[in-house]
Amino acid sequence: MRKFLKNHPVVEAGFWILVVLIFLSYQIALATNIIFDKSPSKKIDVWVKQKVAYTGKGAHLTLLLNGPRIDYQRQILNVRPEVFDHVKLGDQISLSVHTGALGLLWFDGSWSKVPFDEKRP
């Protein structure tokens, strides 16, 4: 494949343009989901199942959440450091979320801890 691309510079350029467009389309879809979202925020109570911090180009802080009102019963959510640092595994928290213009759930930054509930899933 490499030899073919090196021997055909137009095809190689087209390949790399396609790769960049695929990456940009994902970012544009995420931005469109938030920018054009007119849905009201709703509070959902969830439990923190896992905390993951990893670095690459900047730190990424994610929570794996579980709750009865989250689609598919599990949701990975990128959060700010102030949220990530204040929650522990097993904490029940209330998040303010929006459904998104494209149907992708997004967190608007508003949250609070909820008193412990025995009815955990």
Side-chain angles (χ1 to χ4, degrees):
M1 178 78 174
R2 282 187 189 168
K3 273 188 173 185
F4 177 79
L5 290 178
K6 293 296 179 189
N7 292 333
H8 299 86
V10 174
V11 175
E12 183 181 17
F15 172 77
W16 289 113
I17 289 171
L18 181 63
V19 169
V20 168
L21 287 176
I22 290 171
F23 176 74
L24 288 177
S25 66
Y26 176 73
Q27 300 300 324
I28 290 169
L30 291 178
T32 301
N33 185 57
I34 294 171
I35 292 170
F36 293 107
D37 182 23
K38 303 292 186 217
S39 67
S41 66
K42 63 180 178 179
K43 297 280 187 191
I44 58 171
D45 292 341
V46 294
W47 292 270
V48 178
K49 300 302 267 183
Q50 186 177 11
K51 292 172 62 170
V52 179
Y54 58 94
T55 59
K57 292 189 176 191
H60 300 277
L61 307 172
T62 61
L63 299 176
L64 175 63
L65 306 171
N66 191 4
R69 294 183 60 198
I70 292 186
D71 296 336
Y72 313 113
Q73 295 299 311
R74 293 186 184 273
Q75 181 72 35
I76 296 174
L77 193 62
N78 293 325
V79 295
R80 297 182 181 125
E82 54 269 13
V83 177
F84 190 84
D85 293 338
H86 285 92
V87 299
K88 298 179 296 210
L89 294 180
D91 278 355
Q92 186 177 8
I93 58 176
S94 179
L95 301 174
S96 178
V97 295
H98 298 264
T99 54
L102 302 176
L104 303 170
L105 190 70
W106 64 278
F107 171 53
D108 68 10
S110 177
W111 70 284
S112 62
K113 281 193 177 181
V114 175
F116 183 72
D117 184 3
E118 291 293 331
K119 301 179 202 168
R120 291 173 55 164

